[in-house]
Amino acid sequence: MKMNPVVNSDGLKDSERSRPAVEPAGRIHNFGAGPAVLPLEVVEEVATTLPNLLESGFGLLEVSHRSATFQSVIDSAMERIRRVMSVPDDYEILFLQGGASTQFYMTALNLISEREKADFLITGGWSQKALEEAGRVGDAAAAWDGVDGGFKSVPQDGEYSIREDSEYVHYTSNNTLFGTQYHHLPDSGGKPRVVDASSDICGVPIDVASHDVIYAGAQKNLGASGVTLVILSPWAMSRGKEGLPTMLDYNTHVSKGSMFNTPNTSGIYVLDRVFAWVERNGGLDGAIERNHAKAALLYDKLDSSDFWKPHATEHSRSMMNVTWRLADENLEAAFLEQAEEVGMGGLKGHRSVGGIRASMYNGCPMGSVEALVSFMQDFEGRHN
Ligand SMILES: *Cc1c(COP(=O)(O)O)cnc(C)c1O
């Protein structure tokens, strides 16, 4: 393999190794749900490429997608994803646009026809939307729906059944709004699995080979907004139909290496740099370990007194988005306001749950969670 600055095995040029990341003044502890905080060293590295990307003479926002420089970037990004996530060789990796929201429709369009069936596990607002869009294409139905339980948990195997003649099962691996997450590979009744992994991809273990479509917007765990990662199995590619709208046909993008039209060039570069950062920090296992540690610290705090009311049922707790109320809901506004005063942003819960939500994706440093927990300790002391 040709080595260049983008594809060094440890992901860095010599000059870039082990720089201490010092938070510039005014940067907050960002707990936003997405777009979300990126590792500071990635942000700084990307900043240096704005005038001149990889000594090409072209700036990051100005380089042609048809250039050798950009080809090396997209190749590098795909190779890293394959390595970090152990994507089987016969699976395709795509970088599309239109967000996970476009995939709600596009997956169904490419996988089923009008009379064919697909089953959905409904664990929150995003899976509801996925079901609704798939319903425009074929016979899409909810095999399980957590709405009556307030979306406090994900289904366990045995709590639902999949239709005998269903073509696939769709689930949402992490429910960004409600703060729940599967900690097992959901039973699909032997059918192919399609997963919206937007908010936990590369933050928790995932067995790629047990899925046929994996899709995720990049703006939570993988990078900046505007890139959607799609991973397709040979089965998924074989389902393609004649006569689909060109841009909504997976085969268009597979056959052109995600460059049928102009891709989000800068977004793909950021994604490559985020994966390089993951690789030099212990790979997927390292990310999982850090996310476990962050989640354990925050949930321990939430469990330590009745002052806090965590939303999710224990077995379904998300490691990426932690949601809770205060026992006295009247204190929530003060909590958010004071958090902001001490430099913490993005903590307001989604309107469908209310309360507080701390999103702690891969880019969120432990130091931010420590700062949050220490603020919570302090706040509780003053109001209890
Ligand atoms: C954020 C999110 C989406 C929506 O992503 P867009 O890129 O804005 O379309 C879909 N699903 C999940 C699970 C999400 O967290």
Side-chain angles (χ1 to χ4, degrees):
M1 193 176 69
K2 185 169 144 278
M3 297 296 273
N4 66 30
V6 192
V7 290
N8 279 343
S9 60
D10 73 347
L12 267 194
K13 290 179 262 180
D14 287 346
S15 60
E16 292 166 335
R17 224 166 257 130
S18 312
R19 283 173 306 146
V22 179
E23 290 287 344
R27 225 174 120 83
I28 60 157
H29 294 293
N30 180 356
F31 295 98
V37 64
L38 292 169
L40 182 60
E41 52 187 279
V42 171
V43 174
E44 289 179 337
E45 182 186 6
V46 170
T48 67
T49 67
L50 285 170
N52 188 351
L53 175 65
L54 302 169
E55 285 141 42
S56 66
F58 295 90
L60 173 63
L61 305 176
E62 303 158 298
V63 69
S64 167
H65 62 300
R66 302 293 176 205
S67 63
T69 305
F70 184 71
Q71 189 65 54
S72 77
V73 168
I74 196 167
D75 289 348
S76 164
M78 288 187 187
E79 282 165 24
R80 287 186 199 283
I81 290 171
R82 215 174 270 288
R83 274 200 302 271
V84 170
M85 296 184 52
S86 307
V87 178
D89 287 344
D90 55 356
Y91 277 51
E92 291 288 340
I93 296 171
L94 300 178
F95 299 128
L96 305 183
Q97 298 181 65
S101 298
T102 297
Q103 293 309 308
F104 295 159
Y105 182 69
M106 196 166 166
T107 49
L109 184 68
N110 283 263
L111 298 178
I112 54 174
S113 57
E114 213 179 313
R115 275 184 293 278
E116 288 179 319
K117 297 176 180 160
D119 284 347
F120 286 68
L121 304 177
I122 307 302
T123 49
W126 296 120
S127 24
Q128 285 172 330
K129 290 196 165 91
L131 170 64
E132 191 180 323
E133 293 301 309
R136 300 178 195 281
V137 177
D139 177 353
W144 187 90
D145 194 334
V147 67
D148 291 340
F151 293 128
K152 285 178 188 290
S153 57
V154 299
Q156 303 304 300
D157 290 351
E159 289 180 21
Y160 57 89
S161 55
I162 301 304
R163 289 178 290 179
E164 191 85 13
D165 51 352
S166 188
E167 302 298 328
Y168 66 86
V169 175
H170 179 287
Y171 74 103
T172 313
S173 52
N174 180 74
N175 299 282
T176 325
L177 316 183
F178 293 93
T180 62
Q181 187 173 35
Y182 290 85
H183 297 292
H184 65 282
L185 181 67
D187 179 23
S188 66
K191 309 292 183 191
R193 289 184 190 84
V194 174
V195 64
D196 174 0
S198 290
S199 51
D200 67 0
I201 189 159
C202 206
V204 296
I206 183 167
D207 177 7
V208 174
S210 296
H211 295 81
D212 285 85
V213 180
I214 297 170
Y215 64 89
Q219 70 271 25
K220 284 149 188 158
N221 261 312
L222 303 181
S225 57
V227 181
T228 314
L229 171 65
V230 178
I231 302 176
L232 299 173
S233 75
W235 174 82
M237 285 178 289
S238 76
R239 299 288 295 180
K241 290 174 278 187
E242 290 296 317
L244 293 183
T246 309
M247 282 296 288
L248 296 180
D249 186 341
Y250 283 138
N251 283 315
T252 300
H253 303 288
V254 169
S255 65
K256 298 292 183 188
S258 292
M259 290 209 273
F260 169 76
N261 71 321
T262 317
N264 180 344
T265 44
S266 56
I268 292 168
Y269 178 70
V270 174
L271 187 140
D272 177 70
R273 296 295 83 203
V274 169
F275 269 95
W277 174 84
V278 169
E279 284 196 295
R280 64 180 184 269
N281 286 282
L284 184 55
D285 289 344
I288 293 166
E289 201 174 301
R290 289 188 295 278
N291 292 333
H292 264 299
K294 287 182 284 180
L297 184 63
L298 183 49
Y299 282 115
D300 279 353
K301 180 73 220 153
L302 291 172
D303 289 336
S304 69
S305 92
D306 293 340
F307 190 78
W308 315 101
K309 298 277 173 223
H311 175 79
T313 309
E314 218 162 316
H315 65 70
S316 295
R317 285 177 166 182
S318 170
M319 307 209 319
M320 320 309 299
N321 311 95
V322 181
T323 52
W324 72 95
R325 308 291 311 228
L326 269 60
D328 179 358
E329 293 182 7
N330 295 319
L331 286 176
E332 287 171 355
F335 179 90
L336 291 168
E337 201 178 295
Q338 291 174 27
E340 211 155 300
E341 278 163 17
V342 296
M344 293 177 211
L347 284 165
K348 193 170 169 30
H350 188 267
R351 61 187 180 281
S352 54
V353 193
I356 321 292
R357 171 176 57 177
S359 299
M360 310 184 300
Y361 304 119
N362 284 355
C364 172
M366 185 61 158
S368 287
V369 182
E370 286 166 351
L372 173 60
V373 166
S374 130
F375 166 70
M376 289 167 71
Q377 181 78 33
D378 180 58
F379 187 88
E380 186 179 348
R382 281 183 287 114
H383 292 92
N384 220 349

